[in-house]
Amino acid sequence: MNSNLNIVILAAGAGTRMKSALPKVLHKLAGKSMLSHVIETAKELLPSKMCVVIGHGGEHVKETIGDDEIIWVTQEEQKGTGHAVLQALPHLDETGSTLILYGDVPMIRTETLREIVQNGAGNHCVLLTTELADPHGYGRIIRNAESRGIESIVEQKDADETQRAIKEINTGIMLIPNQNLRHWLPNLKDNNKQEEYYLTDVIKMAVDGGIPVIASHPENNWEVYGVNSRGQLAELERIYQIEYANRLLADGVTLIDPSRIDIRGHLNCGIDVEIDVNCVFEGKVELGDGVKVKANCVLKDVTVLDGTVIEPFSYIVDSEIGKHCKIGPYARIRPETKLSDKVHIGNFVEVKKSSIATGSKVNHLSYIGDTEMGQNVNIGAGTITCNYDGAYKHKTVIEDNVFVGSDTQLVAPVKVSYGSTIGAGSTITKETPANELTLSRSKQVTLSGWKRPTKNK
Ligand code: UD1
Ligand code: CA
């Protein structure tokens, strides 16, 4: 833990331009709320205290994030960024410094924040600034004409022509010693165009008090982009995804088109993994060496071992897939499924809460649920495990080397013993004996001379 560091995250704004019933900071970037991104990044710095200032929809925010390590501070009325930090002041340590972050600036990187904290060692103020081609809307950094040191920040609305031409902007992120905050925040004035208590005015107070203000800069400007509208959120989403895709490419993953992959969580890949277009990875996904994921697949919380191929349009959730399996196209694999090596799951096959051992095949149009399947089993097209009696789920056991003919129903609880063969079209309700042919099928009859009805002319 860094006992010299407190963090305050501002998240009280209304987010009117989102036009949403959901508080702005709960809108998702890459499958996770913007505020969660900021909290996770902030936690990497191991602060001794972390406050989140909430206002609009505050209770909802607090409940959704559900983190007891956070000190939740309510700002009843949004009277400006300085007023927001003032609400957190009673919770901050006497000594050390406070880093100010924003719940709607979700892509700030830990490395950038670490540098700010380092620059602040020895009770300096640190301001994260950057140059923007279009600085419109941001606070501008006013520097001393000779020393080039930071003197103050002027908000867009309070700035004159010359000041508006300045391209160096305030990102809003800053580090201020607590002993100074304690004096400065209560002395902020709202004598500006927006009649707000600007946090940015503490910079002038620092300069006036002879406390050095050091500038830090992010490596990438996207780290400091804020979200005010759904358009800006969508823009950030694309930046997030292309950055992730570029990291995968650099790590040796083949992406047929890096602009057509979405990762909403963590994707870990072995060597020579190949991912075709329009795949979505959610939660924690691990792909072993040489795994191929063809176009339009969705994988959520899945492990896939070496050499397995996932054919197009497959949807796999909360499952483990072994080595050299062949899945899909159009396979649906539901939670708690475990496939061993060389298993084939074909088109329009649904598997749920089942284990399937090495070399077994379910290639066409089947439902396998609550099933324990042995090795080298072949399940014919259209086979269904009838696992649900309307009240309870029951188990099907299929032992090694079983062959199930097409269009069979296995009514659970039931066991198909080692080496059994089931005739096509059977409804199996009782345990089948090992190595025998079992079938249930009505006898085929022919009505000789029968005529099809025809319409009267
Ligand atoms: C602020 C900075 C500006 C900077 C810009 C960067 C001030 C006065 N200005 O301007 O220099 O360039 O950010 O994006 O700080 N918030 C609260 N409570 C409040 C007011 C704001 O929690 O009473 C939160 C908002 O939810 C938002 C953040 O603080 O996340 C920034 O507030 P906003 O009003 O958007 O500040 P800007 O005018 O953009
Ligand atoms: Ca803003």
Side-chain angles (χ1 to χ4, degrees):
M1 200 175 67
N2 184 346
S3 58
N4 287 318
L5 182 68
N6 295 166
I7 292 180
V8 173
I9 302 173
L10 302 191
T16 327
R17 275 182 280 166
M18 298 297 281
K19 299 189 180 158
S20 174
L22 193 68
K24 177 164 81 174
V25 293
L26 293 184
H27 281 260
K28 287 179 178 170
L29 175 81
K32 191 166 70 182
S33 77
M34 290 194 273
L35 183 54
S36 298
H37 280 276
V38 181
I39 290 171
E40 280 177 29
T41 306
K43 279 191 174 177
E44 302 264 323
L45 302 176
L46 308 173
S48 60
K49 277 180 185 158
M50 179 142 78
C51 299
V52 178
V53 181
I54 45 176
H56 285 271
E59 278 308 306
H60 190 22
V61 173
K62 191 172 155 181
E63 271 165 35
T64 310
I65 302 292
D67 186 331
D68 325 320
E69 289 172 30
I70 289 172
I71 303 166
W72 297 94
V73 179
T74 305
Q75 184 191 22
E76 299 292 351
E77 258 186 291
Q78 277 69 63
K79 294 187 189 167
T81 48
H83 180 257
V85 180
L86 181 65
Q87 310 310 304
L89 192 59
H91 304 281
L92 302 180
D93 292 330
E94 288 298 323
T95 57
S97 292
T98 293
L99 177 66
I100 318 286
L101 302 175
Y102 299 83
D104 58 0
V105 181
M107 281 177 59
I108 189 71
R109 294 180 323 130
T110 315
E111 293 78 359
T112 303
L113 298 181
R114 283 223 169 90
E115 195 186 294
I116 295 174
V117 172
Q118 278 160 15
N119 287 343
N123 284 338
H124 296 134
C125 293
V126 184
L127 189 62
L128 188 68
T129 78
T130 193
E131 293 205 358
L132 293 182
D134 175 14
H136 182 87
Y138 289 91
R140 306 300 205 284
I141 306 299
I142 310 297
R143 285 179 179 267
N144 184 284
E146 278 135 46
S147 71
R148 301 309 296 155
I150 293 178
E151 290 204 316
S152 63
I153 300 170
V154 177
E155 291 304 298
Q156 169 83 26
K157 286 181 181 148
D158 302 299
D160 61 31
E161 276 309 299
T162 331
Q163 292 167 331
R164 285 185 184 188
I166 296 171
K167 299 246 187 288
E168 188 184 9
I169 61 102
N170 170 33
T171 65
I173 293 172
M174 60 180 88
L175 180 83
I176 310 286
N178 288 346
Q179 56 192 38
N180 300 121
L181 268 186
R182 217 163 284 286
H183 288 116
W184 294 338
L185 288 180
N187 287 315
L188 290 174
K189 301 277 181 317
D190 64 351
N191 54 353
N192 50 58
K193 281 271 160 55
Q194 305 187 79
E195 295 183 351
E196 283 183 5
Y197 297 93
Y198 290 167
L199 176 64
T200 45
D201 287 347
V202 302
I203 297 301
K204 180 149 194 325
M205 290 175 169
V207 173
D208 290 346
I211 293 162
V213 178
I214 298 168
S216 260
H217 310 292
E219 203 173 294
N220 322 278
N221 276 344
W222 49 253
E223 292 181 54
V224 299
Y225 289 164
V227 170
N228 295 311
S229 65
R230 293 186 199 246
Q232 288 172 335
L233 181 57
E235 265 174 51
L236 268 199
E237 180 77 27
R238 282 306 100 212
I239 294 169
Y240 181 99
Q241 296 301 344
I242 201 75
E243 286 296 319
Y244 207 128
N246 285 337
R247 286 201 299 276
L248 291 173
L249 291 170
D251 287 348
V253 178
T254 295
L255 303 177
I256 302 298
D257 181 353
S259 70
R260 281 185 289 168
I261 178 171
D262 286 85
I263 298 143
R264 303 175 190 152
H266 298 279
L267 174 60
N268 292 321
C269 296
I271 58 164
D272 293 319
V273 166
E274 197 177 303
I275 300 171
D276 209 331
V277 299
N278 295 335
C279 291
V280 179
F281 299 91
E282 297 180 58
K284 191 160 185 272
V285 176
E286 310 243 5
L287 305 179
D289 295 349
V291 166
K292 286 185 171 52
V293 183
K294 306 286 186 72
N296 300 300
C297 290
V298 178
L299 275 67
K300 181 177 185 209
D301 294 313
V302 178
T303 305
V304 183
L305 300 184
D306 301 356
T308 286
V309 177
I310 316 230
E311 298 289 347
F313 297 98
S314 295
Y315 181 35
I316 309 176
V317 176
D318 193 11
S319 294
E320 289 170 46
I321 317 265
K323 293 182 187 174
H324 304 287
C325 292
K326 192 171 170 299
I327 311 293
Y330 299 99
R332 177 168 185 212
I333 300 184
R334 293 171 52 198
E336 294 181 59
T337 294
K338 190 171 183 329
L339 308 182
S340 300
D341 300 343
K342 296 179 187 161
V343 168
H344 289 191
I345 301 294
N347 39 216
F348 307 107
V349 171
E350 175 179 347
V351 184
K352 187 216 82 174
K353 203 176 184 179
S354 295
S355 62
I356 300 183
T358 306
S360 290
K361 295 177 179 143
V362 190
N363 270 329
H364 327 270
L365 300 155
S366 290
Y367 172 61
I368 304 295
D370 303 296
T371 297
E372 191 184 309
M373 193 186 297
Q375 304 184 15
N376 301 316
V377 170
N378 194 307
I379 303 286
T383 296
I384 304 285
T385 55
C386 309
N387 60 332
Y388 187 50
D389 61 12
Y392 298 100
K393 301 275 168 63
H394 300 281
K395 193 168 170 183
T396 300
V397 175
I398 302 170
E399 294 189 335
D400 295 351
N401 296 335
V402 161
F403 181 99
V404 176
S406 296
D407 192 30
T408 293
Q409 300 93 53
L410 302 169
V411 183
V414 72
K415 175 169 154 188
V416 184
S417 302
Y418 182 95
S420 296
T421 302
I422 310 290
S426 296
T427 301
I428 302 297
T429 54
K430 293 196 290 278
E431 178 170 340
T432 67
N435 295 315
E436 301 280 7
L437 170 67
T438 302
L439 66 157
S440 77
R441 192 189 288 167
S442 45
K443 281 250 158 25
Q444 181 170 323
V445 294
T446 302
L447 302 183
S448 200
W450 179 86
K451 291 271 182 304
R452 267 189 222 163
T454 50
K455 274 192 175 165
N456 295 326
K457 290 262 156 64

